[in-house]
Amino acid sequence: MPGYDTPAPREPAPVKILVAGGFGVGKTTLVETISEIEPLRTEERLTAAGVGVDDLDGIESKTVTTVAMDFGRLTLTDAGVVLYLFGTPGQERFWFMWDDLLNGALGAVVLADTRRLDRSFAAVDFFESRGLPFVVGANCFHGEQPYTAEEIGAALHLRDPATPVLMLDARSRPDVRACLLALLERLIARAGAAATA
């Protein structure tokens, strides 16, 4: 109608999400799988300098590693948000980056490889100690996962038994999307509980 302006569509709300976990669990793959833009990668080739420092047990074919972060973006129009995904470096010598990447983050995905579950303890401890809500994504390599979500949660000694443990393949866009939506549901529930408290 003349004289009336159509309201502008709302811009999606920005949400910063970290993707963390041990060395070689699939963080870069997860960000690449879901990002709607060409992801930013800060990968370097593994060299002889890492011998005796980097534990390649179980991932002997790995040739590159993230040294700062991975970055990708995903717009979820139905949810009214745009997710900014920051993949953390997995090697212990680069963990100093985690505190910088944490700034402004609302939640995280802890990616776990149950063949080497001990590599996920540091990420779980990091987010629990800082009170950042997270979900655990158990990466099912070769489409197989011999453990249940309950067994994985118990093995990780999660402080909050309500922390979701989800089975996913980091190469599967629907799996990764479902994991991120589960994290968003957790963030919304937490915000709702804080508002009523």
Side-chain angles (χ1 to χ4, degrees), residues 42-92:
T42 59
E43 291 186 319
E44 293 293 335
R45 292 192 63 74
L46 292 170
T47 66
V51 174
V53 177
D54 300 327
D55 180 7
L56 293 174
D57 185 38
I59 51 171
E60 291 82 5
S61 63
K62 188 170 178 62
T63 59
V64 295
T65 186
T66 299
V67 295
M69 67 173 182
D70 298 309
F71 173 77
R73 184 186 74 204
L74 176 65
T75 303
L76 296 172
T77 307
D78 293 348
V81 298
V82 57
L83 302 181
Y84 294 100
L85 305 170
F86 290 79
T88 65
Q91 292 163 283
E92 188 172 350

Side-chain angles (χ1 to χ4, degrees), residues 5-13 77 80:
D5 291 329
T6 305
R10 280 183 64 191
E11 289 292 316
T77 307

Side-chain angles (χ1 to χ4, degrees), residues 52-185:
V53 177
D54 300 327
D55 180 7
L56 293 174
D57 185 38
I59 51 171
E60 291 82 5
S61 63
K62 188 170 178 62
T63 59
V64 295
T65 186
T66 299
V67 295
M69 67 173 182
D70 298 309
F71 173 77
R73 184 186 74 204
L74 176 65
T75 303
L76 296 172
T77 307
D78 293 348
V81 298
V82 57
L83 302 181
Y84 294 100
L85 305 170
F86 290 79
T88 65
Q91 292 163 283
E92 188 172 350
R93 67 179 185 258
F94 299 122
W95 286 354
F96 67 90
M97 292 290 303
W98 290 18
D99 278 312
D100 288 339
L101 292 172
L102 181 68
N103 188 27
L106 297 183
V109 173
V110 173
L111 201 56
D113 176 355
T114 57
R115 300 170 303 178
R116 298 169 289 121
L117 197 60
D118 59 315
R119 296 185 182 187
S120 298
F121 292 151
V124 168
D125 291 345
F126 180 83
F127 295 125
E128 285 183 340
S129 68
R130 285 155 179 83
L132 191 75
F134 65 94
V135 299
V136 174
N139 202 357
C140 300
F141 291 87
H142 310 297
E144 298 172 3
Q145 184 53 259
Y147 304 102
T148 66
E150 293 76 19
E151 289 171 329
I152 295 167
L156 287 171
H157 304 288
L158 299 172
R159 286 186 201 162
D160 180 358
T163 299
V165 177
L166 307 155
M167 305 301 177
L168 62 83
D169 182 333
R171 300 163 300 181
S172 164
R173 189 173 176 84
D175 284 8
V176 174
R177 190 176 193 280
C179 183
L180 292 170
L181 288 173
L183 176 60
L184 280 178
E185 288 174 12

